[in-house]
Amino acid sequence: MTTRSLSVRARRAALPVALCAGLATAVTACSSDPDEGTNGVGRLSAPEIEGKARTAADGADAVHLSGTLVSKSGSYKIDMRLKKNGATGTVTSKNTTFGLLRVGDELYLKADAAFWAHRDDKHGGSGSASAAGRQLDDKYVKVPSGDPSYQELRGFTDKGALLKGMLGLQGELSKGDRSKVGEVGTIRVKAGKDGENGTLDVSLQGTPYPLRFERAGGAGVLELGDWNQDFPLAAPAKDATVDYGSRLPKT
């Protein structure tokens, strides 16, 4: 037998081995687990995923929440950092932006003169920036607990109540596609047919925190991040604070 014939036979024998190896690789690739390397919640049912997300959110010490809320009273842009004993951030309604700071039960409102002028207009005033309004410009005004606006404003700063009210999915739940919020992989939970009652994107990395919530009926989209990342929270300095007693000023 010549050297050439041995070489031909070796190549013929290697061919089926190579084909089998290639086929095995293709089968392995096709059957690879999409949840490999994740926290595993993608394998759970939709109600279980939502439950995990709620538990994670409730147990977190802090979160950054931003986005748009649409309700009967109007549309709001919200950008708040929240934790269990308070919050800080801004809320925009129409063309008015104001800051909120809560430390324990003490709530402070910070806005410019135009905000107080608008408030004056709502209460039958002239609608112009009065001398009092200018004095309040960029000051922290303490919101008395007995003022009618206290509970409404506090609602933007209450982590537990805010998340409970915003992250509720109503109706039958189903699993949607895998996606991303920023650079983080997510699994989507849909409520109702094709998510008509809202969708929730839950992190597939680390703790299964909710990262994005689209409210039903176009009522806003919220993003949640910086979970468990602490931030400073302290009452404003006295020389930057105005206290009007039992009611907010009507400039």
Side-chain angles (χ1 to χ4, degrees):
M1 184 176 295
T2 66
T3 303
R4 180 182 178 186
S5 59
L6 286 173
S7 176
V8 171
R9 286 189 177 186
R11 288 199 301 270
R12 288 175 177 173
L15 182 59
V17 174
L19 288 174
C20 288
L23 181 60
T25 301
V27 171
T28 301
C30 291
S31 62
S32 62
D33 184 357
D35 293 303
E36 185 177 356
T38 72
N39 56 21
V41 297
R43 301 186 182 100
L44 304 178
S45 68
E48 289 173 324
I49 296 171
E50 186 203 25
K52 290 280 187 182
R54 281 184 174 277
T55 299
D58 290 342
D61 291 329
V63 63
H64 178 201
L65 185 151
S66 61
T68 303
L69 296 173
V70 181
S71 65
K72 293 180 179 178
S73 58
S75 177
Y76 302 91
K77 288 183 179 179
I78 183 171
D79 189 348
M80 298 293 300
R81 299 187 69 90
L82 308 140
K83 53 186 177 181
K84 294 179 180 179
N85 66 328
T88 182
T90 60
V91 177
T92 299
S93 173
K94 295 183 180 179
N95 296 322
T96 303
T97 298
F98 55 90
L100 289 173
L101 170 66
R102 183 173 65 83
V103 182
D105 289 328
E106 302 297 322
L107 179 63
Y108 302 88
L109 172 66
K110 186 178 183 181
D112 59 16
F115 171 88
W116 296 108
H118 176 69
R119 178 178 168 83
D120 179 42
D121 187 50
K122 287 175 63 178
H123 288 85
S126 65
S128 61
S130 65
R134 290 192 294 272
Q135 290 176 356
L136 297 178
D137 184 31
D138 214 30
K139 292 281 189 179
Y140 285 96
V141 177
K142 187 175 181 181
V143 183
S145 59
D147 191 274
S149 61
Y150 178 87
Q151 290 300 329
E152 179 183 356
L153 293 173
R154 183 186 170 117
F156 289 110
T157 70
D158 190 320
K159 172 182 174 287
L162 201 60
L163 294 184
K164 182 178 180 180
M166 292 182 182
L167 300 183
L169 291 173
Q170 303 296 324
E172 185 176 354
L173 303 182
S174 61
K175 288 166 64 172
D177 297 331
R178 285 165 173 75
S179 186
K180 278 190 173 184
V181 175
E183 297 300 316
V184 181
T186 61
I187 180 70
R188 179 165 294 178
V189 177
K190 302 186 296 182
K193 184 179 179 182
D194 297 325
E196 62 184 9
N197 293 337
T199 63
L200 182 67
D201 283 85
V202 179
S203 175
L204 286 172
Q205 299 176 20
T207 305
Y209 290 120
L211 299 184
R212 186 177 186 273
F213 179 57
E214 184 171 348
R215 304 179 77 202
V221 178
L222 299 167
E223 291 199 0
L224 305 99
D226 295 338
W227 287 100
N228 263 338
Q229 293 187 23
D230 198 15
F231 57 91
L233 192 63
K238 288 185 178 180
D239 60 359
T241 306
V242 178
D243 187 348
Y244 277 84
S246 62
R247 288 289 186 273
L248 282 176
K250 299 177 183 178
T251 61

